[in-house]
Amino acid sequence: MGNYILRRLTLIPVTLLGILLVVFIIAQFAPGGPIEQIIARATLGQMSTTSSVSGGGDGGGATAQGMDTAAMAQSTGTYGLDPELLADLERQFGFDKPLHVRFLTMVWNYLRLDFGDSYFQDRPVVELVVERMPISISLGGWSLLIIYGISIPLGVAKAVRDGSRFDFWTSTVIFVGYAIPGFILAVVLIVLLAGGHYFDIFPLRGLFSENWDELGVLGKVGDYLWHLALPLVTLTAGGFATLTMLTKNSFLEEISKQFVLTARAKGLTERRVLYGHVFRNAMLIVIAGFPAAFVGILFAGSLLIEVIFSLEGMGLLAYDAVIKRDYPILFGTLFVFTMIGLVMNLIGDLTYVLVDPRIDFETR
């Protein structure tokens, strides 16, 4: 097992390097970089100034004149800005250096956990990540606790009542929930319960109220859970199907084994057989899949939910970085997400071995 762990640990930096290289290359050819956005704002400012000077009576002509000016500036390659200013912007963002030099510099800085400063927020990326990470982890952690807390008892009940009406209707409900995209459910909940058109019960955005500092301990806990209600419902609604059916099928497989017949023949009660023998063996694969489930919630689910509900977590931070082309934050969050995913996958493999010693990754 030691050799397997060593191989996996060796692959982590290689995988990180490969992912960073691919995204770095894509980012270089993606339109709308930080300099282009600054140029666009300056060009729009020039157009607005031209429009205001021309007066309101000839608005159409002023707009056309401004567009012609912007087009002429773009055709000259300077967008109407001083070439020295453009050169200063390139030096400021580090775009005056060759691609390979910029990439190697970024990798060297990342080895020292130096992610640089945000282009537009004027703060270190590490500070932003440390500030946002607890929100994403708490959101994913609460979601998994709810999913596991409901799916495991429900899966056991479905296995015991396999083929009954209870089994049929619960399967229908969880698969309908699984089929509804999370962002659609989030929009529906906002419209219905967050002051959209019907009820104004839950807050629309954020995790804390404006008077958070004035609340007591219980008030802060209640306010936090109140803000977390709709995001958690959205995240957990589609997460029950897989785990519930996995629990049910694991139970059914264990129930059909010989040791269950032996336990029943010894006169043990059905409750003792199910929860004293079957449950322990059936839960091995369910418990071992917890790290992978956490990665799935953190990566796939929380990003959209944080954007929709304006939760200041890692997902919203990465989304804003992509929109604004804030490359230090973009690559910093990518590095953190990838590192967490690789480490959690390794922990998941080790958990499988711990709960079931028959699994041997060493021979693979």
Side-chain angles (χ1 to χ4, degrees), residues 125-202:
V125 175
V126 173
E127 181 180 321
L128 291 171
V129 170
V130 172
E131 181 182 296
R132 303 291 188 91
M133 181 66 74
I135 296 177
S136 296
I137 291 179
S138 65
L139 190 62
W142 281 113
S143 300
L144 280 184
L145 287 177
I146 294 174
I147 291 173
Y148 269 73
I150 295 177
S151 295
I152 291 179
L154 181 60
V156 173
K158 286 172 64 63
V160 175
R161 300 171 177 84
D162 184 37
S164 64
R165 289 185 176 181
F166 173 81
D167 184 30
F168 173 78
W169 287 111
T170 52
S171 296
T172 302
V173 172
I174 62 174
F175 280 114
V176 167
Y178 181 76
I180 300 176
F183 66 93
I184 292 181
L185 179 60
V187 173
V188 171
L189 291 177
I190 288 174
V191 172
L192 292 179
L193 302 176
H197 291 288
Y198 298 94
F199 303 100
D200 189 6
I201 301 176
F202 296 98

Side-chain angles (χ1 to χ4, degrees), residues 96-345:
D96 58 328
K97 300 176 182 178
L99 289 179
H100 67 281
V101 174
R102 287 154 51 192
F103 178 74
L104 292 178
T105 302
M106 182 183 69
V107 172
W108 171 245
N109 291 333
Y110 279 21
L111 290 175
R112 299 176 296 166
L113 296 180
D114 180 11
F115 300 136
D117 296 335
S118 169
Y119 287 161
F120 302 103
Q121 299 190 40
D122 195 24
R123 295 177 60 189
V125 175
V126 173
E127 181 180 321
L128 291 171
V129 170
V130 172
E131 181 182 296
R132 303 291 188 91
M133 181 66 74
I135 296 177
S136 296
I137 291 179
S138 65
L139 190 62
W142 281 113
S143 300
L144 280 184
L145 287 177
I146 294 174
I147 291 173
Y148 269 73
I150 295 177
S151 295
I152 291 179
L154 181 60
V156 173
K158 286 172 64 63
V160 175
R161 300 171 177 84
D162 184 37
S164 64
R165 289 185 176 181
F166 173 81
D167 184 30
F168 173 78
W169 287 111
T170 52
S171 296
T172 302
V173 172
I174 62 174
F175 280 114
V176 167
Y178 181 76
I180 300 176
F183 66 93
I184 292 181
L185 179 60
V187 173
V188 171
L189 291 177
I190 288 174
V191 172
L192 292 179
L193 302 176
H197 291 288
Y198 298 94
F199 303 100
D200 189 6
I201 301 176
F202 296 98
L204 178 61
R205 55 186 300 167
L207 279 181
F208 309 104
S209 298
E210 295 181 357
N211 62 337
W212 168 262
D213 295 332
E214 303 173 2
L215 300 175
V217 176
L218 294 179
K220 289 183 177 180
V221 172
D223 184 75
Y224 171 73
L225 295 178
W226 180 49
H227 282 77
L228 205 61
L230 294 187
L232 282 182
V233 171
T234 306
L235 267 180
T236 57
F240 297 112
T242 302
L243 186 59
T244 300
M245 299 310 297
L246 178 62
T247 303
K248 175 189 174 182
N249 294 333
S250 299
F251 242 76
L252 290 177
E253 182 181 356
E254 293 297 324
I255 288 175
S256 62
K257 290 184 177 179
Q258 183 64 39
F259 76 91
V260 176
L261 297 177
T262 302
R264 288 171 174 168
K266 290 182 178 180
L268 297 180
T269 63
E270 190 67 15
R271 183 179 182 86
R272 178 71 181 276
V273 171
L274 290 178
Y275 297 100
H277 295 77
V278 176
F279 183 83
R280 181 179 56 187
N281 294 332
M283 287 300 100
L284 294 180
I285 189 172
V286 176
I287 296 173
F290 187 89
F294 178 77
V295 172
I297 287 287
L298 190 63
F299 285 1
S302 63
L303 192 151
L304 279 176
I305 302 307
E306 288 178 11
V307 171
I308 293 174
F309 289 98
S310 299
L311 303 177
E312 299 292 333
M314 287 285 292
L316 184 58
L317 180 66
Y319 174 79
D320 289 338
V322 172
I323 297 300
K324 298 177 181 178
R325 300 298 194 270
D326 197 338
Y327 292 145
I329 294 181
L330 174 62
F331 288 105
T333 53
L334 175 67
F335 181 89
V336 173
F337 275 134
T338 305
M339 177 64 74
I340 292 176
L342 294 173
V343 172
M344 293 301 289
N345 284 333

